[in-house]
């Protein structure tokens, strides 16, 4: 098992380098360090000297990928790409282009993100599975047909509609919750409840249908008929046999997103003005702050890879057939 | 005065919205009796079995009466029979057990659902049932998951379910088709013994007449949803009443082959195919699985060789290496090409393919479902024999395999298994090969069609002096079809020689075991 | 008048030709036509499809652009039909089907009051007259619709697929709606006007094309890499498979929306710098729309690629592929002749399933500020602009509601249709016809 995990971590390094390379190339195709300097320094009264000193200060005064002027390995290491990428692997994100300490920002902003993302994730998971199980229990009935069409209708409504209507009615008209904003600590529940509810409802249609199709696929397998033939009740067949086996495909879809919860939700956070990592990213995109975007992309990729690894490990707990080799 | 039957099915019909699948059938099973329901796939026999316990999938409706042990059951009440009265053994044991529960848990569920026994009594009962099906009943076995036991053991566990709940009737739906040949017989013997010692009744669903002959007291023949003939097993085999039944019973002639061989065509010397086992962080090769180890044989013109073995014996890997679809680890395969013996790797690929062709086991996937038969056959001719890529030539091939040329415009799903296999033979013949490798060409076919295919191959051989390499696990066709035999197990050659001699006087136990698996 | 071909116009018409070709292919193949008949045998699927096609027709009519040689303005065929409302811009908000402006202003007589709109029937001077006029138009339209529907009914009812209530109602509703709009449009702002006085109905209808392009072109552009790489990975295995898997895992690892946002920002910067290269703002915004689809395709091909790879791995072990190899059939022929047709059901399912998701994503991207050009009419832009109007008092609800309803109609019909397609084509779903 440890050898497996070590190997997986080993394999993920080229992926992270690839991710870094892609983001790097993307940003530098059109946005040269000079352009970045102009954006950061403001357009008025900027001389080339100012730009150069900004580049020097921020470490953008080297060649991108290959340094002709030095020798040996330094041809590769004394470049913007290497200098800016290597610290990322130690999770040292350095300073943003506007001079903020990214690590500090992340440490401060991760809590609101988690306060929103974790409950959203758990409630959505539970609601989706409960409704899906219910639909399987009434499989073939008129009510189930209706529920099916209803869930298609739910997923056909834009997520923005739920957000806007929720803010207008629940928060604006009825004053149950604040429309937006955030306070640290216990009081935060008042600010995150509405986005959580909206998030659960917005994902309900698609989620229920996904879980339902997993259950249906499982319910048509031969061992289910064996269980019935043994004289077990339908409920026991469903909960003891089908649900337990369905956990395996469910895990593939679910575990991989758990680490990325950390990144927060771009849409929800910016709509509800929650100062998490999601809104942090959006602000950075709008301000064209390369350092922050790169840090977030890298962080997201690391978390995704951790998610893949966790998925594999979690298999060993639910599927006795899986053994690491 | 006959006893009351244990199970009596009257006027059973099963239908979808569009069509009737089982049409008004009736049958009875007495206490302690084995009733075999025989028929080809699609005859409705499995549906009949499922309907007894109300296990049909949604969308199928069943009508008719069912009397069990003197009591009439509605469809809604049938589920109360499950487990405690009637047990069900399914065709495919590897998928019939829940993969994420231990076998102990699964059998415990049966007892829990059908009795009110306490924990220790249940454990006792579990061990008893396991002992009765001749399984290790230790905790170690009970804590195993289905993937940790063999196919035969899984089928035993399923039989143990029946015993654990004291079921009076076992419905066994093709209980041995998915098992290895040597295991098949032991499972059937076990069922037969249990029937005697436990006074069980068995409804046996099968397509295999030899199974019926060995097991059953009474036979019902199903054809297109109806039972066309029903009588005692003895009477049935002595004097079948319907033409269809006769065609089912006709079996492979028990005569040996006599043939004169020509020149040496193919020579295999010390052929080994090993697959590396990798492990550790850097995936270093830690060992090898020896799929094929030191295989030797010579093949002459007009000669047929059988490579016999169970799944995992390496016989299919060998076949793949003979058509150059599998790299070999060591050894040499040579072939008579342009008058001299050549290593097959030195022969141009297309030239070699013109000489050595293959017919596959899995008939339905031998043809691209999205191409007509004509398109598939002509594609091969275009690639290897372009001068003959015309409709006329394909027509002549179809006549050679006794098929109507109208079938050429059909898609694979519109043809029967036997027809498709004939098309596959036509495709192989299209390049006039010297050798055709037949990878279990008949194992997916019903008994009567099996002989037709073998006879067709022999007829073609007479005309064209082709040699066949028959890859098979079925000893019953070896005598009739081949001149030499190679018995393989776990990649090793166990025994080889002239077919008639080996069959008459097998030296190795394993060969005897395989021969013993022929049910007669 | 001369025809102007925008990039997206060309793409859409190519796509249309492709689908006509596909229909021809389906008609030729017996097993495929049976499957499609089975799809349409569900009234709900056929009704959704009819509505979907109706949307598509509107979108296509908005995809033939003509340049007026005098004013050098570019109009689409749809614009000509909507000309009455294009030419009558109001000063500011008005509610749907109203004859007066939404807010008071100083009248000629010096008092504050509601001004009559420019685009309204002349003879109307009170709310009751207005209602009466609308009711008369509606009744008149209903009558015409019924008369027109009789021959349609006569044509259609002999076909078993069409002779059921939901489908007939759908067709009738579309006919009625069309006639009602034709009758009302010259007299009214059907869905009111927005802050700048532009007709909301016009904007919502024009947005159909944007949504359609987004949903169709993106998937279409994601198909070649997904199919080719998926087939290659599954067929060649080994090194090729490793590399392709590496590529799509890497792309998957980057948080999708971040990647899109980054790419769009770059695009924006690039287009701003090279603004002189575009003949008109229409062409510029059109190119941006197209490139946006390319960007989304770049990030979304991986899912389908993975599915196709897995399926190809399974298929390439099948005997007909082995048989083709034994016969020395060229690899490319095996890839595209044998394997590709057998994974096309996955492609079809992913096209229909992704369509609606993409239409919805457009709105979200526009909200984050990385969507289509601000001058392109799209539901996302409409929602974005209308978001603040909700807090106005009295509430301005109609621009928002209109965009949501138009989007909902398209997405729902696409989803219901997709559902049935998947049911029939996905072997896992198990057809319950």
């Amino acid at each position: 098992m440890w050898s497996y995990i070590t190997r997986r971590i080993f394999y993920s390094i080229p992926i992270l380098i690839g991710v870094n390379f892609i983001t790097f190339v993307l940003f530098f195709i059109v946005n040269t360090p000079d352009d970045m300097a102009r954006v950061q320094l403001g357009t008025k009264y900027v001389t080339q000297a100012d730009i150069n000193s900004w580049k020097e200060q921020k470490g953008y005064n080297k060649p991108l990928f290959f340094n002709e002027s030095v020798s040996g390995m330094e041809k590769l290491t004394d470049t913007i790409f290497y200098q800016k990428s290597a610290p990322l692997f130690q999770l040292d994100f350095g300073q943003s282009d506007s001079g903020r300490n990214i690590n500090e920002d992340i440490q401060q902003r991760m809590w609101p993100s988690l306060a929103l993302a974790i409950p959203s994730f758990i409630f959505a998971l539970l609601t989706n599975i409960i409704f899906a199980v219910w639909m399987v229990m009434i499989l073939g009935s008129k009510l189930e047909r209706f529920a099916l069409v209803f869930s298609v209708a739910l997923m056909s409504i834009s997520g923005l509609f739920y957000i806007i209507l929720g803010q207008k009615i629940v928060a604006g008209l009825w004053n149950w919750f604040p429309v937006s904003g955030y306070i640290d600590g216990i009081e935060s529940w008042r600010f995150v409840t509405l986005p959580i509810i909206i998030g659960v409802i917005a994902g309900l249609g698609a989620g229920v249908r996904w879980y339902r199709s997993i259950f249906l696929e499982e319910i048509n397998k031969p061992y289910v008929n064996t269980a019935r033939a043994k004289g077990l009740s339908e409920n026991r067949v469903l909960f003891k046999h089908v649900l337990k086996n369905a956990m395996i495909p469910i895990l593939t879809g679910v575990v991989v997103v758990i680490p990325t919860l950390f990144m927060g939700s771009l849409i929800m956070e910016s709509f509800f003005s929650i100062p998490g990592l999601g809104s942090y990213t959006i602000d950075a995109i709008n301000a064209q702050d390369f350092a922050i975007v790169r840090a977030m992309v890298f962080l997201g990729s690391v978390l995704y890879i951790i998610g893949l690894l966790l998925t594999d490990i979690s298999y060993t707990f639910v599927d006795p057939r899986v053994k690491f080799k | 005065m006959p006893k009351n039957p244990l199970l009596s099915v009257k006027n059973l019909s099963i239908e979808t919205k569009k069509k009737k699948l089982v049409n008004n059938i009736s049958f009875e099973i007495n206490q302690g009796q084995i009733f075999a329901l025989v028929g080809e796939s699609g005859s409705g026999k499995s549906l009949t079995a499922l309907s007894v316990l109300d296990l049909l999938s949604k969308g199928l409706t069943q009508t008719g009466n069912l009397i069990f042990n003197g009591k009439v059951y509605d469809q809604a009440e049938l589920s109360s029979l499950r487990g405690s009265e009637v047990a069900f053994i399914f065709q495919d044991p590897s998928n019939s057990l829940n993969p994420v529960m231990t076998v102990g848990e699964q059998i415990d569920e049966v007892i829990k659902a059908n009795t009110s026994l306490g924990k220790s009594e249940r454990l006792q009962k579990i061990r008893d049932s396991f002992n009765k099906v001749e399984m290790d009943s230790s905790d170690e076995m009970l804590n195993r998951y289905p993937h940790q036991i063999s196919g035969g053991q899984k089928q035993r566990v399923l039989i143990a379910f029946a015993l654990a709940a004291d079921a009076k009737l076992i419905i066994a739906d093709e209980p041995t088709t998915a098992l290895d040949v040597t295991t098949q017989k032991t499972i059937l013997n076990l069922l037969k013994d249990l029937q005697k010692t436990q006074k069980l009744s068995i409804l046996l669903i099968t397509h295999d007449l030899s199974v019926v002959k060995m097991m059953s007291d009474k036979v019902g023949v199903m054809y297109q949803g109806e039972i066309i003939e029903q009588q005692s097993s003895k009477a049935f085999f002595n004097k079948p009443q319907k033409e269809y039944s006769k065609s089912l019973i006709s079996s492979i002639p028990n005569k040996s082959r006599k043939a004169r061989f020509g020149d040496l065509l193919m020579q295999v010397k010390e052929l080994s195919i090993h697959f590396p086992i990798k492990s550790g962080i850097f995936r270093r090769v830690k060992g090898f699985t020896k799929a094929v180890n030191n295989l030797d044989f010579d093949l002459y013109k007009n000669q047929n060789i059988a490579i016999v073995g169970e799944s995992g014996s390496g016989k299919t890997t060998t076949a793949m290496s003979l058509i150059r679809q599998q790299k070999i680890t060591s050894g040499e395969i040579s072939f008579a090409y342009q008058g001299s013996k050549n290593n097959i790797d030195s022969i141009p690929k297309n030239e070699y393919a013109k000489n050595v062709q293959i017919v596959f086991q899995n008939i339905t996937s031998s043809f691209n479902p999205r191409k007509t038969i004509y398109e598939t056959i002509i594609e091969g001719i275009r690639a290897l024999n372009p001068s003959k890529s015309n409709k006329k030539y394909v027509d002549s091939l179809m006549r050679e395999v006794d098929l109507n040329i109208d079938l050429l415009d059909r898609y694979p799903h519109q043809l029967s298994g036997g027809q498709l296999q004939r098309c596959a033979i036509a495709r192989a013949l299209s390049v006039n090969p010297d050798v055709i490798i037949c990878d279990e060409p008949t194992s997916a076919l019903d008994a009567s069609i099996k002989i037709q295919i073998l006879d067709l191959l022999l007829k073609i051989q007479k005309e064209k002096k082709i040699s066949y390499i028959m890859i098979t696990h079925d000893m019953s066709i070896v005598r009739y079809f081949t001149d030499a035999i190679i018995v393989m197990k776990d990649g090793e050659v166990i025994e080889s020689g002239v077919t008639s001699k080996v069959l008459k006087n097998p030296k190795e136990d394993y060969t005897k075991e395989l021969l013993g698996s022929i049910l007669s | 008048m001369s025809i102007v071909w925008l990039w997206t116009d060309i793409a859409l018409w190519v796509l249309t030709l492709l689908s006509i070709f596909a229909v021809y292919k389906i008609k030729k193949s017996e097993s495929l036509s049976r499957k499609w008949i089975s799809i349409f045998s569900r009234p709900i699927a056929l009704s959704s499809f009819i509505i979907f096609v109706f949307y598509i027709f509107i979108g296509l009519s908005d995809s033939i652009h003509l340049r007026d040689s005098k004013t050098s303005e570019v109009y689409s065929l749809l614009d000509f039909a909507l000309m009455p409302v294009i030419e009558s811009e109001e000063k500011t908000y008005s509610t749907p089907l109203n004859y007066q402006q939404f807010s008071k202003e100083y009248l000629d007589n010096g008092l504050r009051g509601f001004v009559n709109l420019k685009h309204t029937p002349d003879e109307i001077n009170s709310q009751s007259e207005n209602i009466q006029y609308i009711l008369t138009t509606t009744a008149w339209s209903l009558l015409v619709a019924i008369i027109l529907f009789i021959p349609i009914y006569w044509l259609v009812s002999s076909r078993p697929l069409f002779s059921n209530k939901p489908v007939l109602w759908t067709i009738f509703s579309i006919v009625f709606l069309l006639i009602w709009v034709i009758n009302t449009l010259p007299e009214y702002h059907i869905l009111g006007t927005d802050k700048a006085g532009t007709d909301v109905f016009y904007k919502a209808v024009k947005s159909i094309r944007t949504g359609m392009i987004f949903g169709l072109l993106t998937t279409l552009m994601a198909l070649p890499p997904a199919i080719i790489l998926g087939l290659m990975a599954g067929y060649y295995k080994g090194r090729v498979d490793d590399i392709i898997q590496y590529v799509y895992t890497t792309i998957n690892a980057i948080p999708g929306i971040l990647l899109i946002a980054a790419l769009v920002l770059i695009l924006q910067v690039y287009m701003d710098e090279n603004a002189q290269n575009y003949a008109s703002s229409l062409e510029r915004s059109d190119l941006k729309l197209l490139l946006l689809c390319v960007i989304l395709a770049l990030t979304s091909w991986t899912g389908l690629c993975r599915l196709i790879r897995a399926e190809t791995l399974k298929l390439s072990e099948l005997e007909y592929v082995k048989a083709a190899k034994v016969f020395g059939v060229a690899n490319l022929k095996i890839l595209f002749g044998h394997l590709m047709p057998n994974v096309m059901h996955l492609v079809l399912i992913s096209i229909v399933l992704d369509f609606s998701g993409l239409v919805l994503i457009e709105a979200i991207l526009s909200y984050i500020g990385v969507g289509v050009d601000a001058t392109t009419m799209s539901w996302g832009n409409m929602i974005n602009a209308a978001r603040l109007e909700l807090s106005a008092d009295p509430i301005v609800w109609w621009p928002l509601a209109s965009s949501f309803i138009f989007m909902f109609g398209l997405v729902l019909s696409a989803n219901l249709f997709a559902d049935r397609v998947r049911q029939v084509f996905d072997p896992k779903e198990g057809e319950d016809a």
Side-chain angles (χ1 to χ4, degrees), chain A residues 14-15 18-19 26 30 152-153 155-158 160-161 164 168 209 217 266-267 271 281-282 285 301 304, chain C residues 246 250 252-253 257-258 261 263 265-266 360 363-364 367-368 387 390 404 407-408 411-412 415 419 422 428:
Chain A
I15 294 179
V19 167
L26 285 182
V30 287
V152 177
M155 66 190 253
S156 303
I157 297 171
S158 168
L160 297 174
F161 177 81
I164 293 171
K168 179 73 199 168
R209 293 176 60 73
E217 199 180 318
L266 299 188
I267 316 291
F271 254 102
T281 314
I282 288 219
I285 290 173
S301 315
Y304 175 79
Chain C
Y246 169 73
T250 307
N252 258 356
I257 212 150
L258 273 186
L263 285 166
L265 279 181
I266 289 161
L360 293 177
I364 287 176
Y367 168 73
I368 305 182
R387 214 160 52 81
L390 271 190
F404 275 132
M407 184 156 56
F408 181 68
V411 173
L412 182 66
N415 269 335
D419 221 36
R422 185 171 57 167
K428 272 194 290 187

Side-chain angles (χ1 to χ4, degrees), chain C residues 197-234:
Chain C
T198 316
D199 188 88
V200 173
F201 179 77
Y202 169 72
K203 281 173 84 177
V205 170
K206 289 286 277 184
S207 300
I208 291 175
R209 179 175 181 273
T210 313
M212 207 174 95
I213 284 172
F214 225 79
L216 291 177
L217 289 195
T218 303
T219 338
L220 189 78
M221 284 189 277
L223 290 187
I227 296 177
I228 293 171
L229 295 180
L231 285 174
M232 279 171 57

Side-chain angles (χ1 to χ4, degrees), chain B residues 388-456:
Chain B
K388 291 199 167 163
S389 65
N390 55 56
K391 175 85 166 56
K392 237 183 177 173
Y393 180 60
V394 179
D395 286 351
S396 74
L397 289 170
M398 291 295 270
R399 278 191 288 273
E400 225 166 312
V401 296
D402 303 328
L403 282 180
N404 193 324
I405 55 169
D406 294 346
L407 297 184
L408 282 175
D409 294 327
R410 304 246 181 111
Y411 285 91
H413 71 270
Q414 296 167 310
L415 269 60
S416 73
Q419 287 172 328
L420 269 180
Q421 201 59 310
R422 280 166 194 268
C423 293
I425 294 170
R427 171 170 59 180
L429 287 177
S430 67
V431 292
N432 274 320
D434 293 324
V435 180
I436 295 183
I437 295 162
C438 304
D439 186 4
E440 306 254 16
T442 57
S443 64
L445 297 171
D446 289 316
S448 53
I449 297 168
K450 182 150 108 180
I451 310 164
Q452 292 171 13
I453 294 287
L454 290 178
D455 283 340
L456 173 69

Side-chain angles (χ1 to χ4, degrees), chain C residues 331-372:
Chain C
N331 279 335
L332 278 182
K333 264 197 180 162
I334 295 182
L335 275 176
F336 294 103
H338 284 284
L339 294 171
M340 196 168 88
N342 284 296
V343 297
M344 281 319 267
H345 67 283
L346 294 176
V347 173
L348 178 73
I349 291 170
S350 109
I351 292 177
V352 290
L353 280 184
D354 291 353
F355 175 83
S356 46
L358 286 164
V359 174
L360 293 177
I361 283 179
E362 185 273 322
I364 287 176
L365 290 184
S366 297
Y367 168 73
I368 305 182
V370 292
V372 295

Side-chain angles (χ1 to χ4, degrees), chain B residues 36-69:
Chain B
L37 210 47
V38 207
E40 294 177 0
S41 46
S43 60
K45 54 188 197 308
S46 289
L47 293 177
T48 307
L50 290 169
S51 74
V52 173
L53 287 184
D54 190 24
L55 288 172
L56 289 174
S57 55
K58 281 177 182 149
L60 293 172
T61 48
Q62 62 184 85
T63 51
N65 288 317
L66 190 136
I67 303 160
F68 187 85
N69 224 354

Side-chain angles (χ1 to χ4, degrees), chain B residues 9 34 57 114 134 156 164 174 184 187-188 208 220 240 268 276 280 283 330 332 389 416 427 431 449 458 470 501:
Chain B
V9 172
I34 300 185
S57 55
N114 296 297
E134 294 153 26
R156 281 171 201 268
E174 304 266 13
Q184 286 182 1
I187 291 290
L188 290 174
D208 188 343
V268 172
R283 310 260 76 194
S330 63
E332 190 182 16
S389 65
S416 73
R427 171 170 59 180
V431 292
I449 297 168
L458 290 175
M470 170 70 78
K501 281 185 190 156

